């Protein structure tokens, strides 16, 4: 790996950490800017390095650094919202993979890739939330409350981030490609 790519990974780990602390209180799952930075990691670094950045972020949190929206430590695995962090890794990879394989990188195509990644984040996050709540920590949640609190209330802001991330990526991808050439 070129040292510049390693530096970019480190930069995105830091941005994801900062994004965790920029939050808007929403019931159940707080709205943060983590998704924006995980999505940009996939768009700008590609699927593997982007997902690596998000994985490093997750590992830092699990070993005890307070980098998650509500702290850190191995006990975080039992928080129902931890599934969204797992989803960030998969969503970042998917977004990066889609954009990497596009013949032309238009704003619309990048936004669609972002929305695909967002769908994966919410799918993984909601399934994890449901399983942990109902069968691990025994605080049952039904499907409608899960859908309401873990999707409907949170997704509008993340959809806006998909559009913002698309605009940033359209401008930044060519700049990064020139720097690496």
């Amino acid at each position: 790996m070129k040292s510049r790519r390693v530096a970019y990974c480190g930069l995105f780990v830091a941005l994801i950490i900062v994004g965790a602390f920029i939050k808007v209180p929403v019931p159940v799952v707080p709205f943060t800017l983590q998704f924006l930075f995980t999505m940009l990691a996939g768009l700008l670094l590609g699927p593997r390095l982007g997902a690596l950045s998000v994985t490093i972020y997750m590992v830092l949190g699990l070993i005890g650094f307070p980098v998650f929206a509500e702290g850190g430590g191995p006990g975080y695995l039992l928080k129902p919202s931890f599934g969204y962090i797992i989803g960030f890794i998969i969503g970042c990879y998917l977004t990066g993979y889609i954009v990497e394989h596009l013949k032309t990188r238009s704003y619309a195509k990048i936004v669609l890739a972002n929305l695909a990644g967002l769908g994966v984040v919410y799918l993984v996050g909601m399934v994890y939330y449901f399983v942990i709540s109902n069968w691990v920590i025994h605080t049952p949640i039904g499907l409608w409350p899960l859908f309401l609190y873990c999707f409907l209330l949170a997704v509008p802001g993340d959809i806006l981030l998909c559009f913002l991330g698309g605009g940033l990526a359209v401008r930044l991808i060519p700049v990064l490609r020139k720097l690496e050439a």
Side-chain angles (χ1 to χ4, degrees):
M1 242 190 316
K2 290 182 179 179
S3 59
R4 181 174 289 166
R5 303 285 284 169
V6 172
Y8 290 156
C9 279
L11 173 65
F12 273 99
V13 171
L15 287 170
I16 296 165
I17 292 168
V18 169
F21 294 104
I22 301 171
K23 53 186 163 187
V24 176
V26 178
V28 183
V29 179
F31 173 77
T32 69
L33 291 183
Q34 290 168 295
F35 173 66
L36 175 64
F37 295 123
T38 60
M39 171 182 45
L40 284 172
L43 292 171
L44 301 177
L45 302 181
R48 288 170 296 287
L49 288 179
L52 176 63
S53 297
V54 184
T55 302
I56 291 168
Y57 162 74
M58 182 184 72
V59 169
L60 287 172
L62 288 175
I63 62 174
F65 291 99
V67 297
F68 298 143
E70 298 173 348
Y76 217 87
L77 286 166
L78 298 178
K79 282 188 150 302
S81 61
F82 184 73
Y84 290 92
I85 295 171
I86 297 168
F88 288 152
I89 297 169
I90 301 166
C92 173
Y93 185 89
L94 177 64
T95 301
Y97 182 85
I98 292 170
V99 170
E100 185 177 77
H101 288 85
L102 291 174
K103 290 182 182 180
T104 59
R105 292 184 179 107
S106 69
Y107 174 74
K109 289 178 182 178
I110 291 173
V111 168
L112 289 174
N114 292 345
L115 290 169
L118 178 64
V120 168
V121 170
Y122 274 90
L123 177 66
V124 173
M126 290 172 63
V127 167
Y128 192 92
Y129 198 103
F130 187 81
V131 168
I132 294 294
S133 291
N134 287 313
W135 293 301
V136 177
I137 61 174
H138 305 292
T139 54
I141 187 168
L143 291 178
W144 171 246
L146 177 77
F147 183 72
L148 175 65
Y149 292 117
C150 297
F151 182 76
L152 282 182
L153 292 176
V155 80
D158 286 335
I159 290 172
L160 290 175
L161 292 179
C162 287
F163 287 93
L164 174 63
L168 290 170
V170 164
R171 286 162 182 80
L172 293 173
I173 289 172
V175 171
L176 289 176
R177 298 302 176 250
K178 274 186 184 177
L179 288 173
E180 292 177 358

